[in-house]
Coordinates of all heavy atoms in Angstrom, one line a residue:
G1 N 0.8 -1.2 0.0 CA 0.0 0.0 0.0 C 0.8 1.3 0.0 O 0.5 2.2 -0.7
K2 N 1.9 1.2 0.7 CA 2.8 2.4 0.8 C 3.4 2.7 -0.6 O 3.5 3.8 -1.0 CB 3.9 2.2 1.8 CG 4.9 3.4 1.9 CD 5.9 3.2 3.0 CE 6.8 4.4 3.1 NZ 7.8 4.4 4.1
V3 N 3.9 1.6 -1.3 CA 4.5 1.8 -2.6 C 3.5 2.4 -3.5 O 3.7 3.3 -4.3 CB 5.1 0.5 -3.1 CG1 5.5 0.6 -4.5 CG2 6.3 0.0 -2.2
L4 N 2.2 1.8 -3.5 CA 1.2 2.3 -4.4 C 0.8 3.8 -4.1 O 0.6 4.6 -5.0 CB -0.1 1.4 -4.2 CG 0.1 0.0 -4.7 CD1 -1.1 -0.8 -4.3 CD2 0.3 -0.1 -6.2
F5 N 0.7 4.1 -2.8 CA 0.4 5.4 -2.4 C 1.5 6.4 -2.9 O 1.1 7.5 -3.4 CB 0.2 5.5 -0.9 CG -0.5 6.8 -0.4 CD1 -1.9 6.8 -0.4 CD2 0.2 7.9 0.0 CE1 -2.6 8.0 0.1 CE2 -0.4 9.0 0.4 CZ -1.8 9.0 0.5
E6 N 2.7 6.1 -2.7 CA 3.8 6.9 -3.1 C 3.8 7.1 -4.7 O 4.1 8.2 -5.2 CB 5.2 6.4 -2.7 CG 5.4 6.5 -1.2 CD 5.3 7.9 -0.6 OE1 5.8 8.8 -1.3 OE2 4.8 8.1 0.5
A7 N 3.5 6.1 -5.4 CA 3.4 6.2 -6.9 C 2.2 7.2 -7.2 O 2.4 8.0 -8.2 CB 3.1 4.8 -7.5
A8 N 1.1 7.1 -6.5 CA 0.0 8.0 -6.8 C 0.4 9.4 -6.5 O 0.1 10.3 -7.3 CB -1.2 7.6 -5.9
K9 N 1.1 9.6 -5.4 CA 1.5 11.0 -5.1 C 2.5 11.6 -6.1 O 2.3 12.7 -6.5 CB 2.3 11.0 -3.7 CG 1.3 10.9 -2.5 CD 2.1 10.8 -1.2 CE 3.1 11.8 -0.9 NZ 3.7 11.7 0.4
K10 N 3.4 10.7 -6.6 CA 4.4 11.2 -7.6 C 3.6 11.5 -8.9 O 3.9 12.6 -9.5 CB 5.4 10.0 -7.9 CG 6.4 10.4 -8.9 CD 7.4 9.2 -9.1 CE 8.5 9.5 -10.0 NZ 8.2 9.5 -11.4
W11 N 2.7 10.7 -9.3 CA 1.9 11.0 -10.5 C 1.1 12.3 -10.4 O 1.1 13.1 -11.3 CB 1.0 9.8 -10.9 CG 0.3 10.0 -12.2 CD1 0.8 9.7 -13.4 CD2 -0.9 10.6 -12.4 NE1 -0.1 10.0 -14.4 CE2 -1.2 10.6 -13.8 CE3 -1.9 11.2 -11.6 CZ2 -2.3 11.2 -14.4 CZ3 -3.0 11.7 -12.2 CH2 -3.2 11.7 -13.5
A12 N 0.4 12.4 -9.2 CA -0.4 13.6 -9.0 C 0.4 14.9 -9.0 O 0.0 15.9 -9.5 CB -1.2 13.4 -7.7
K13 N 1.6 14.8 -8.4 CA 2.5 16.0 -8.4 C 2.8 16.4 -9.8 O 2.8 17.5 -10.2 CB 3.7 15.7 -7.6 CG 4.6 17.0 -7.4 CD 5.7 16.7 -6.5 CE 6.5 18.0 -6.2 NZ 7.5 17.8 -5.2
E14 N 3.2 15.4 -10.6 CA 3.6 15.6 -12.0 C 2.4 16.2 -12.8 O 2.6 16.9 -13.8 CB 4.1 14.4 -12.7 CG 5.5 13.9 -12.1 CD 5.9 12.6 -12.5 OE1 5.2 11.9 -13.3 OE2 7.0 12.2 -12.1
A15 N 1.2 15.8 -12.4 CA 0.0 16.3 -13.1 C -0.5 17.7 -12.6 O -1.5 18.2 -13.0 CB -1.2 15.3 -12.9
G16 N 0.3 18.3 -11.6 CA 0.0 19.6 -11.2 C -0.8 19.8 -9.9 O -1.2 20.9 -9.5
A17 N -1.0 18.7 -9.2 CA -1.7 18.8 -7.9 C -0.8 19.2 -6.8 O 0.4 18.9 -6.8 CB -2.4 17.4 -7.6
C18 N -1.4 19.8 -5.8 CA -0.7 20.0 -4.5 C -1.0 19.0 -3.4 O -0.2 18.8 -2.5 CB -1.1 21.4 -4.0 SG -0.5 22.8 -5.1
K19 N -2.2 18.4 -3.6 CA -2.7 17.4 -2.6 C -3.5 16.3 -3.3 O -4.1 16.5 -4.3 CB -3.6 18.1 -1.6 CG -2.9 19.2 -0.8 CD -3.9 19.8 0.2 CE -3.2 20.9 1.0 NZ -4.1 21.5 2.0
L20 N -3.4 15.1 -2.7 CA -4.3 14.1 -3.0 C -5.6 14.2 -2.1 O -5.4 14.5 -0.9 CB -3.7 12.7 -2.8 CG -2.7 12.2 -3.8 CD1 -2.1 10.8 -3.3 CD2 -3.4 12.0 -5.2
Y21 N -6.7 13.9 -2.7 CA -8.0 13.9 -1.9 C -8.4 12.5 -1.8 O -8.4 11.7 -2.9 CB -9.1 14.7 -2.6 CG -10.3 14.9 -1.8 CD1 -10.5 16.0 -1.0 CD2 -11.3 13.9 -1.8 CE1 -11.7 16.1 -0.2 CE2 -12.4 14.0 -1.1 CZ -12.6 15.1 -0.3 OH -13.8 15.2 0.5
I22 N -8.8 12.0 -0.7 CA -9.2 10.6 -0.5 C -10.5 10.6 0.3 O -10.5 11.0 1.5 CB -8.1 9.8 0.3 CG1 -6.7 10.0 -0.3 CG2 -8.5 8.3 0.4 CD1 -5.8 10.8 0.4
S23 N -11.5 10.0 -0.3 CA -12.7 9.6 0.5 C -12.5 8.2 1.0 O -12.6 7.2 0.2 CB -13.9 9.7 -0.5 OG -15.1 9.4 0.2
A24 N -12.1 8.1 2.2 CA -11.4 6.9 2.7 C -12.4 6.1 3.6 O -13.1 6.6 4.5 CB -10.2 7.2 3.5
H25 N -12.3 4.8 3.5 CA -13.0 3.8 4.3 C -12.7 4.2 5.8 O -11.6 4.5 6.1 CB -12.5 2.4 4.0 CG -13.3 1.3 4.5 ND1 -13.6 1.1 5.8 CD2 -14.0 0.4 3.8 CE1 -14.4 0.0 5.9 NE2 -14.7 -0.4 4.7
S26 N -13.8 4.2 6.6 CA -13.6 4.6 8.0 C -13.1 3.6 9.0 O -12.9 3.9 10.1 CB -15.0 5.2 8.5 OG -16.0 4.2 8.5
A27 N -12.9 2.3 8.5 CA -12.4 1.3 9.4 C -11.1 1.7 10.1 O -10.3 2.4 9.5 CB -12.1 0.0 8.6
V28 N -10.9 1.4 11.3 CA -9.8 1.8 12.1 C -8.5 1.4 11.4 O -7.5 2.2 11.3 CB -9.9 1.2 13.5 CG1 -8.5 1.3 14.3 CG2 -11.0 1.8 14.3
E29 N -8.4 0.2 10.8 CA -7.2 -0.2 10.1 C -6.9 0.6 8.9 O -5.8 1.0 8.6 CB -7.3 -1.7 9.7 CG -7.5 -2.7 10.9 CD -8.9 -2.8 11.4 OE1 -9.9 -2.2 10.8 OE2 -9.1 -3.5 12.3
S30 N -7.9 0.9 8.1 CA -7.8 1.7 6.9 C -7.3 3.1 7.3 O -6.4 3.7 6.7 CB -9.1 1.8 6.2 OG -9.5 0.6 5.7
Q31 N -7.9 3.7 8.3 CA -7.5 5.1 8.8 C -6.1 5.1 9.3 O -5.3 6.1 9.2 CB -8.5 5.6 9.8 CG -9.8 5.9 9.2 CD -9.7 7.0 8.1 OE1 -9.2 8.1 8.4 NE2 -10.2 6.7 6.9
A32 N -5.6 4.0 10.0 CA -4.3 3.9 10.5 C -3.3 4.0 9.3 O -2.2 4.6 9.4 CB -4.0 2.7 11.3
F33 N -3.6 3.3 8.2 CA -2.8 3.3 7.0 C -2.7 4.7 6.5 O -1.6 5.2 6.2 CB -3.4 2.4 5.9 CG -2.7 2.7 4.6 CD1 -1.5 2.2 4.3 CD2 -3.4 3.4 3.6 CE1 -0.9 2.4 3.0 CE2 -2.8 3.6 2.4 CZ -1.6 3.2 2.1
Y34 N -3.8 5.4 6.3 CA -3.8 6.8 5.8 C -3.0 7.7 6.7 O -2.3 8.6 6.2 CB -5.2 7.3 5.5 CG -5.8 6.6 4.3 CD1 -6.9 5.8 4.5 CD2 -5.3 6.7 3.0 CE1 -7.6 5.1 3.4 CE2 -5.9 6.1 2.0 CZ -7.0 5.3 2.2 OH -7.6 4.7 1.1
K35 N -3.2 7.6 8.0 CA -2.4 8.4 8.9 C -0.9 8.2 8.7 O -0.1 9.1 8.7 CB -2.9 8.2 10.3 CG -2.2 9.1 11.3 CD -2.7 8.9 12.7 CE -2.0 9.9 13.7 NZ -2.5 9.8 15.1
A36 N -0.5 6.9 8.6 CA 0.9 6.6 8.4 C 1.4 7.2 7.1 O 2.6 7.5 7.0 CB 1.1 5.1 8.4
M37 N 0.6 7.4 6.1 CA 0.9 8.0 4.8 C 1.0 9.5 4.9 O 1.3 10.2 3.9 CB 0.0 7.5 3.7 CG 0.0 6.1 3.4 SD 1.6 5.4 2.9 CE 2.2 4.7 4.4
G38 N 0.6 10.1 6.0 CA 0.7 11.5 6.2 C -0.6 12.3 5.9 O -0.7 13.5 5.8
C39 N -1.7 11.5 5.8 CA -3.0 12.1 5.5 C -3.6 12.7 6.8 O -3.3 12.3 7.9 CB -4.0 11.1 5.0 SG -3.5 10.3 3.5
R40 N -4.5 13.7 6.5 CA -5.2 14.4 7.6 C -6.6 14.8 7.1 O -6.8 14.6 5.9 CB -4.5 15.6 8.1 CG -4.3 16.7 7.1 CD -3.4 17.8 7.7 NE -3.2 18.8 6.7 CZ -3.7 20.0 6.7 NH1 -4.4 20.4 7.8 NH2 -3.5 20.9 5.8
E41 N -7.5 15.2 7.9 CA -8.8 15.6 7.5 C -8.7 16.7 6.4 O -7.9 17.6 6.5 CB -9.6 16.1 8.6 CG -11.1 16.3 8.3 CD -12.0 16.7 9.4 OE1 -11.5 16.7 10.6 OE2 -13.2 16.9 9.2
A42 N -9.5 16.5 5.4 CA -9.5 17.5 4.2 C -9.9 18.9 4.7 O -10.8 19.0 5.5 CB -10.4 17.0 3.1
Q43 N -9.2 19.9 4.2 CA -9.6 21.2 4.4 C -10.9 21.6 3.7 O -11.6 22.4 4.2 CB -8.5 22.2 4.0 CG -7.2 22.1 4.9 CD -6.1 23.0 4.5 OE1 -6.2 23.7 3.5 NE2 -5.1 23.0 5.3
E44 N -11.1 21.0 2.5 CA -12.3 21.2 1.8 C -12.9 19.9 1.5 O -12.2 19.0 1.1 CB -12.0 21.9 0.4 CG -11.5 23.3 0.5 CD -11.2 23.8 -0.9 OE1 -12.0 23.6 -1.8 OE2 -10.1 24.5 -1.1
Y45 N -14.2 19.7 1.8 CA -14.8 18.4 1.5 C -15.4 18.4 0.1 O -16.0 19.4 -0.4 CB -16.0 18.2 2.5 CG -15.6 17.6 3.8 CD1 -14.3 17.7 4.3 CD2 -16.5 16.8 4.5 CE1 -14.0 17.1 5.5 CE2 -16.2 16.2 5.7 CZ -14.9 16.4 6.2 OH -14.6 15.8 7.4
C46 N -15.3 17.3 -0.6 CA -15.9 17.2 -1.9 C -17.3 16.6 -1.7 O -17.4 15.4 -1.3 CB -15.0 16.2 -2.8 SG -15.8 15.8 -4.4
Q47 N -18.3 17.4 -2.0 CA -19.7 17.0 -1.7 C -20.1 15.7 -2.4 O -20.8 14.9 -1.8 CB -20.6 18.2 -2.0 CG -22.0 18.1 -1.3 CD -21.8 18.0 0.2 OE1 -21.0 18.6 0.9 NE2 -22.7 17.2 0.9

């Protein structure tokens, strides 16, 4: 998951993004992964 996430970040940066947006599964284990990847609550929610 870490390798995949890093590849996504690299591609997104090359595509002009400043941030990845993730509508993420709320399971404790899933959220622990995202926190380990440096994610935090979105400043803007995508409705």
Side-chain angles (χ1 to χ4, degrees):
K2 180 178 182 178
V3 173
L4 294 172
F5 195 86
E6 291 299 324
K9 284 173 55 176
K10 181 178 185 281
W11 186 88
K13 184 174 186 173
E14 290 170 359
C18 295
K19 297 178 181 182
L20 281 175
Y21 186 96
I22 308 106
S23 182
H25 198 294
S26 62
V28 168
E29 298 84 1
S30 298
Q31 289 300 304
F33 166 77
Y34 289 114
K35 184 175 182 180
M37 295 299 102
C39 298
R40 61 186 181 111
E41 187 172 357
Q43 291 180 355
E44 295 179 41
Y45 275 26
C46 175
Q47 200 58 37

